[in-house]
Structures are given as structure tokens and as C-alpha cells.
Amino acid sequence: MAPEVDAGSTSSDSELKRPPLPPRRKGSTDGGSLQVAASAQSKPTTAVSSIDISTLSFPDGSRGTFPTNALRSVSTPIGTSSRHASSASQSPHTSGDLAESMSVMSFAPTMRPAGDLASLVAGEMNGKSRAWMLLRSQSATVQPFQSTQPGVTDGLAGFEREFDDIPDLTAEGITDDDRVSLWKSKLKHYMILSSAGKPIYSRHGDLSLINSSMGVVQTIISFYEGAKDPLQGFSAGNTRFVVSTEGPLYLVAISKLGESDSQLRSQLNALYMQILSTLTLPNLKNIFAHRPSTDLRKPLEGTESLLSSLADSFTKGSPSALLGALECLRLRKSQRATITNTFLKNRNDKLLYGLIVAGGKLVSVIRPRKHSLHPSDLQLIFNMLFESGGIKSGGGESWIPICLPAFNNSGYLYMYVSFFDGGGDNNNPSSSENATPPLSTTPNSQTKSPDQEEEEIAIILISPDKESFYDLQQTRDNLSAQLTKNGSLSLIKSAAKEGRPKISKIAPGPASQTISHFLYKSRANVQFCMSTLDEPAFSGLVPRRRLMTLYQSLHASMHARHSHLKVLHSVGEDAASLAWITPVFEFYCVAGPNISRQVMTQSANKIIQWAKKEEERLFIIGGGVF
């Protein structure tokens, strides 16, 4: 037993003889530099540690992180406090604790998300300083597309030359390669050809230039038809090809402007309706039934300007075609009622439809009780009168046989058209039983301002009787005299000269709190109104095309096949936009890229309330019925 006791005693003595630990240095208190704390942290930490970050659970199950009152850097806003502070924050820290408590956010007072977004990482640092609010108010005044670099981000490089004619073979200094290069530089093409591959119409290039391209198109379409799988469309790079087959005709749209298939297809349908308005559907079928290889350019000779003006309106961007609605001239309800009643009192028994149009906007319409005019038919009439320039260049009166496909695609109606200035002195233009002038083959100028177009006032009388020219002429003279007598013509001229409404009058406020442009469609009346385009942000052909591209994108998203959207808010680098659809109306608007969603919604609500209040002035509800 003794050896065991001696061994235990020896072990205890060895432990007592261990050298003591060196004394720990104390922190300096004489104003010198801070020393390392005596009680160093016992575990390694990162910049975001359990000491200066607390986690909260919200009722919806989400979690958020927030800074505590641990010692922060001088960049932390004054007044920061938290009821989740730990006891470690109450004791003085040394340089070691200071280094451990710092994080990246400590040195980044401006690293906050822009706009209305909140950052849980930034926590209470997300509070807006006065300097930040001042910068925000200044940036909100940026107009749509102000920061856009033309042709770099929007694909509209060279759009100003989109409607220039391609020189023919007789031009000096122009080779075939140059002509092909110019043809390929166009951003949008329309082609119409027969099922036999015969060219009928092309917006750009003559027959010698497009013949081979149309042959390729006809081969591709025929291949898919042989496989019992008709070709609807395809893409090649950033170019979209859409094909529409209408009986013996192939219609092709080639676009680099980002339009949807449904929008391009509706444009092709309008071009097809323009052809039917000249030939009628039975005549078109009979032509190809007897000779499938017929050259349709001869029956359509003289109408190329109508097709080109219609195609150019689609390329520039047509709100009427996009919304499938008509624009009316804004008038007081009592004034429009006076015009309509005067129209009804002076109508002739041979009259089917009567219209008064000013500057491409519908003023008044009278119709039979069981018949109505389809917007697509009215668009064909307006294109003929106000876009192609052929009718206006003739002056005086015109007598035109026309087929309105949506009304009856198998027969002709006869349209009497008379322009006058509304002053009352030129109400008896020279008459002629056969006053139809030759249609111009030169497309209308693409630089014409929508808000500065001439305020022509036209009376349009449509009859099924081809012998009713003199009867309708007498109706026109009587109507003109009565409208001049009661002052309605001067009211129409004044309203047309005033133009579209300005947003500053509809929703007054600073530029940073209003939208820049809007479209409003009344779905029940199939009519729309829009704000003026006579603004600096939309001055010129390219800015207006850019605006319509944004509207087309909104419209395509809202009307996609499987879409059930009611409200869509989109923010891009150059503009913010909003779409809102209900059973009553469709509303689209555009503002600067920095406007907040709340401000944009409030401005949109003001405009919609204005449109509802002014509905009987903005739209024709019912019209005159006999």
C-alpha cells in the first residue's frame, strides 16, 4: 500500500510546481490608443454576427433581420435604436470588438435599393435622407425615352428612312447589290402574292427586286400546305414572319419591330379587306377559279397608294388598328345632338349611311335601325379619304364605288364624298356626275403630324343605288346650308383645330406626378380617345414609333391567349407603363422611368374618372337612327 501512497503524493507535488500564466495586459485609460480587451471573444465570428443582428418572425411566416444597438460605425443614421439590444452593447468595446462588429453595410450609407423596394438587409438604414428625397424628386421629371440611345437599344436605327423609295434600275450610281441592301435595311415588309407564286403587292421594292424573294416565300408556304400543316409564322433572328392565307392569296408580314403574331395578323387582314373593297370576294374567287396564274396587279391597278398608306400607318403605329376602335371628335352632347338631328332631317330616302368626319375623327353618323357600320369598314374609308391623299387631291366631289367587306363582301355600295372648309363660303363645289379623280400612286408623307394634320371636314353619304349621285348631292347642299346656318360647322372646325386633350388639363399637377401619354378605349362603344402627341417627348417619327411599340407590348401581354391579367405595371430603363382592363374600358399609359407606381396609379385614376365624366363628349353613343 505504501508504494501506492507515495506515487499519488508525487503526482500532486508535480502539479503544484507548474509555472503560473503570464499576467494579462490591462486596457489603457490615459487617452492613448485602445488596447486589446482582456476578455477576448471566445468564438470566431463574421462581420454579421449574433451580437449586432436580430431575427424577427412575422405573422405571415416570413422572417427578417434587423441591426441591434451594438456599436456601429459613424455612417449609421442618428437616432437608430432597437428594443432587441444585447447586454454586450452596454460595455465599452476595444479595437478587437470594433473590428468584429463592423460589416460591409457599415461603410455603405447609400447602398439601398432604388424605388419603392425595401431591403431587410439594410434594415433601418433604408430610411430616406433629405438629400435622397431631393435627388428622387429631380429624377422623377425625366420624360419617357429621354435616356434612350436611338438605334442602340430599341432597334429603330434608320427608321427615319423607312419610307424612302428604293431607287430603280435606271438610277445612276446604284447597283443591284445596293438596291438589295436598301431593301434588307427596311424594318417592316408586307408582301401579297397568289397561290401560284405571282407577285401582287410589296410595300418596298419593284418586281425585279422582290420576284425571287416571293418565289422563296411561295415555296415555303406550299411545302407546309402539302404536309397538311399550314404555316402560321416563324422567326429568323430578331425578325418575325407571319403568314395569312385568304383563299387564293398569301399575305406575309415581315417585322423587326417586336409586334405580336395576332397584331401582325390583324394588319394583314386589313390589307386583305382593302383588296376586297376594290374587287369584292365573288369577283376575286372567279378570277382565280378560271385562271389560277392570273396577274392580279392589273385589276388592282391604281389602288397601290391605298395599300401603301394603310401599310405605312401600321408601320408608324396606329392606335386605331391596335385597339380595333375609332376616334371621335370631342364635342358637347347638345352640339353633337344638334348636328345629328340636322343630319336626320335632311336625309334622302336613298341614303344608307351618312357620316361627318373632321381630321380623321368621326363627328356624327346616321344609320338604319337594323344596320351598323363595322370599325374595320370605317377605317378603310378614313384611310382612303385622309391617308392616301388621292381623294383630297381631286377636290370638290367624288363618286366612288366601294365594297365594305364587314357589311357585305359580295357587292358594291356607292359613296359620295364632299370636302369643305366649314367657313360657309365654299359650300357649293363644282359638281360632276363622274367626279372620281385618279388615285395617286405616291404614298402620303410620313412626316405629317397627327395633331397638326389639316382640319378637313368631309361629308360622306353612302347609298346602294348607283344612280343616286344627284340625290345625294342635293342632300349634301341642304345639310351644309343648315349646319352653316345654326353654327355647327364653325363648332366642328374649332373642335378639330383644338386637337386632342392635354394631360396637364385633365390631371393637373407637377411633371413628376403625372403620366406623359394615355389611350382610353370604351369597349361598349368600340371607340377610343388619346392625349395629344404634340409634346416634346413625342415630337418626331421615331419617338412616336417608340411609344407605339410600348403600347403594342402592353396590349400583347394583356390579350395573350392564356393571360388573365387585369392590371399590368411595367418599368424599364427608359419608361414606365401601366395597362388596366375591365369589362367597361381598356386603359394604357406611359410615364417617365422614375415615376413611382403609387403616383402613376393616382394619375391614371384621375384620367379614367375624367373619361367617365366626359363620356358623352368623347364618344358617339348610339348615333342617329332612322
Side-chain angles (χ1 to χ4, degrees):
M1 296 294 295
E4 296 179 2
V5 174
D6 293 338
S9 178
T10 304
S11 176
S12 177
D13 293 341
S14 63
E15 291 180 358
L16 293 175
K17 293 179 180 179
R18 287 181 179 177
L21 294 173
R24 295 174 178 173
R25 290 182 297 177
K26 296 181 180 181
S28 175
T29 58
D30 57 355
S33 60
L34 292 175
Q35 304 295 326
V36 179
S39 55
Q41 294 185 4
S42 60
K43 60 180 180 178
T45 62
T46 61
V48 181
S49 66
S50 59
I51 294 178
D52 51 13
I53 291 294
S54 297
T55 303
L56 291 180
S57 297
F58 298 103
D60 60 355
S62 61
R63 305 181 71 184
T65 56
F66 299 88
T68 65
N69 275 343
L71 184 61
R72 308 296 292 176
S73 70
V74 293
S75 63
T76 304
I78 298 175
T80 300
S81 62
S82 174
R83 59 190 178 93
H84 303 286
S86 64
S87 59
S89 63
Q90 306 300 327
S91 59
H93 283 278
T94 60
S95 61
D97 294 323
L98 185 63
E100 291 294 339
S101 65
M102 290 181 181
S103 68
V104 176
M105 289 301 299
S106 302
F107 300 98
T110 59
M111 289 180 60
R112 307 176 187 131
D116 299 329
L117 299 179
S119 172
L120 292 178
V121 176
E124 294 170 352
M125 290 185 63
N126 199 40
K128 301 295 189 300
S129 65
R130 300 179 67 178
W132 173 267
M133 297 303 295
L134 178 61
L135 179 62
R136 183 70 176 172
S137 64
Q138 292 175 350
S139 63
T141 60
V142 177
Q143 294 297 310
F145 317 117
Q146 185 173 331
S147 60
T148 303
Q149 298 181 8
V152 177
T153 58
D154 55 10
L156 295 178
F159 189 73
E160 298 89 347
R161 301 182 298 276
E162 177 71 15
F163 306 97
D164 294 346
D165 293 333
I166 298 177
D168 54 22
L169 292 172
T170 60
E172 296 182 0
I174 299 294
T175 64
D176 287 341
D177 291 341
D178 294 335
R179 297 175 71 242
V180 171
S181 178
L182 288 173
W183 185 79
K184 290 182 178 180
S185 67
K186 303 298 183 181
L187 297 178
K188 197 166 186 180
H189 296 268
Y190 293 98
M191 295 182 179
I192 304 176
L193 62 155
S194 67
S195 56
K198 291 284 187 179
I200 298 174
Y201 170 79
S202 175
R203 175 58 191 92
H204 301 291
D206 53 20
L207 182 59
S208 62
L209 184 62
I210 65 172
N211 200 16
S212 59
S213 299
M214 285 197 173
V216 173
V217 170
Q218 190 268 342
T219 301
I220 296 174
I221 297 175
S222 299
F223 174 81
Y224 280 90
E225 284 191 344
K228 305 299 181 182
D229 185 17
L231 180 63
Q232 301 294 319
F234 60 93
S235 297
N238 64 342
T239 305
R240 184 63 183 171
F241 294 74
V242 172
V243 180
S244 178
T245 303
E246 300 289 350
L249 302 184
Y250 295 150
L251 299 96
V252 183
I254 307 171
S255 177
K256 299 179 183 178
L257 298 177
E259 295 147 300
S260 67
D261 283 17
S262 61
Q263 292 167 358
L264 292 173
R265 204 172 300 279
S266 66
Q267 296 170 15
L268 292 177
N269 183 68
L271 293 176
Y272 176 64
M273 292 297 178
Q274 181 64 63
I275 293 176
L276 291 186
S277 70
T278 304
L279 298 177
T280 75
L281 183 59
N283 288 341
L284 180 64
K285 290 182 175 180
N286 289 335
I287 290 174
F288 287 98
H290 295 89
R291 295 185 59 187
S293 60
T294 299
D295 186 356
L296 200 62
R297 290 178 298 169
K298 292 183 179 180
L300 292 175
E301 187 175 4
T303 64
E304 294 88 351
S305 64
L306 299 178
L307 291 168
S308 294
S309 62
L310 192 60
D312 287 350
S313 68
F314 298 148
T315 303
K316 299 172 191 174
S318 170
S320 179
L322 177 65
L323 300 175
L326 292 173
E327 186 177 12
C328 298
L329 187 69
R330 185 186 177 197
L331 285 173
R332 291 181 179 272
K333 179 183 177 181
S334 58
Q335 295 172 350
R336 200 185 305 273
T338 300
I339 296 171
T340 302
N341 291 333
T342 305
F343 211 160
L344 289 171
K345 291 178 181 179
N346 290 274
R347 73 177 181 88
N348 189 280
D349 292 338
K350 296 182 179 181
L351 181 67
L352 178 63
Y353 293 111
L355 302 96
I356 299 177
V357 186
K361 303 179 184 66
L362 191 61
V363 178
S364 179
V365 57
I366 61 173
R367 60 181 178 83
R369 187 173 302 276
K370 295 183 180 180
H371 296 282
S372 60
L373 273 174
H374 196 275
S376 62
D377 288 339
L378 289 175
Q379 288 173 3
L380 294 178
I381 294 175
F382 291 177
N383 174 67
M384 179 184 295
L385 299 184
F386 298 99
E387 298 295 335
S388 68
I391 305 300
K392 288 186 295 184
S393 63
E397 301 165 300
S398 298
W399 183 245
I400 308 166
I402 185 173
C403 171
L404 300 180
F407 173 74
N408 180 12
N409 60 16
S410 60
Y412 287 103
L413 297 174
Y414 299 88
M415 183 170 66
Y416 172 90
V417 181
S418 176
F419 283 91
F420 54 93
D421 60 5
D425 297 332
N426 299 323
N427 293 331
N428 294 300
S430 59
S431 63
S432 174
E433 185 174 2
N434 188 12
T436 305
L439 298 183
S440 171
T441 57
T442 303
N444 197 26
S445 173
Q446 68 273 12
T447 59
K448 190 174 182 179
S449 170
D451 281 354
Q452 295 178 349
E453 60 185 357
E454 300 175 6
E455 293 86 14
E456 301 99 344
I457 302 175
I459 294 180
I460 304 169
L461 306 175
I462 301 175
S463 172
D465 185 1
K466 64 180 179 180
E467 303 296 337
S468 60
F469 174 83
Y470 290 109
D471 295 320
L472 298 184
Q473 184 187 53
Q474 185 62 44
T475 299
R476 184 263 180 202
D477 292 341
N478 296 338
L479 177 61
S480 178
Q482 290 295 322
L483 292 178
T484 302
K485 182 178 180 180
N486 61 26
S488 295
L489 281 181
S490 60
L491 289 174
I492 295 173
K493 188 175 181 64
S494 298
K497 187 176 182 179
E498 183 179 357
R500 300 183 176 98
K502 295 183 178 180
I503 294 180
S504 58
K505 295 183 178 180
I506 299 173
S512 60
Q513 297 182 8
T514 57
I515 62 178
S516 301
H517 192 268
F518 75 88
L519 296 176
Y520 179 93
K521 174 185 176 180
S522 173
R523 306 186 76 174
N525 298 305
V526 201
Q527 299 166 31
F528 80 98
C529 68
M530 60 187 288
S531 59
T532 179
L533 288 169
D534 191 16
E535 298 287 349
F538 310 116
S539 60
L541 187 64
V542 175
R544 288 172 184 168
R545 174 62 248 188
R546 197 176 288 125
L547 175 68
M548 286 308 304
T549 298
L550 188 53
Y551 279 141
Q552 287 171 344
S553 177
L554 285 175
H555 188 274
S557 299
M558 299 298 290
H559 292 274
R561 180 174 299 178
H562 301 293
S563 174
H564 301 286
L565 295 173
K566 300 301 179 184
V567 179
L568 175 62
H569 178 243
S570 175
V571 180
E573 294 182 356
D574 51 5
S577 55
L578 177 70
W580 186 359
I581 292 182
T582 71
V584 178
F585 65 82
E586 293 184 21
F587 180 80
Y588 306 89
C589 65
V590 173
N594 297 319
I595 190 171
S596 68
R597 180 174 57 187
Q598 180 181 3
V599 171
M600 195 171 189
T601 303
Q602 291 174 352
S603 184
N605 271 319
K606 291 181 181 179
I607 295 173
I608 292 172
Q609 293 300 323
W610 168 83
K612 291 181 178 179
K613 181 181 178 181
E614 300 284 321
E615 184 177 21
E616 293 184 339
R617 295 186 179 187
L618 295 172
F619 309 124
I620 298 176
I621 302 176
V625 180
F626 56 88

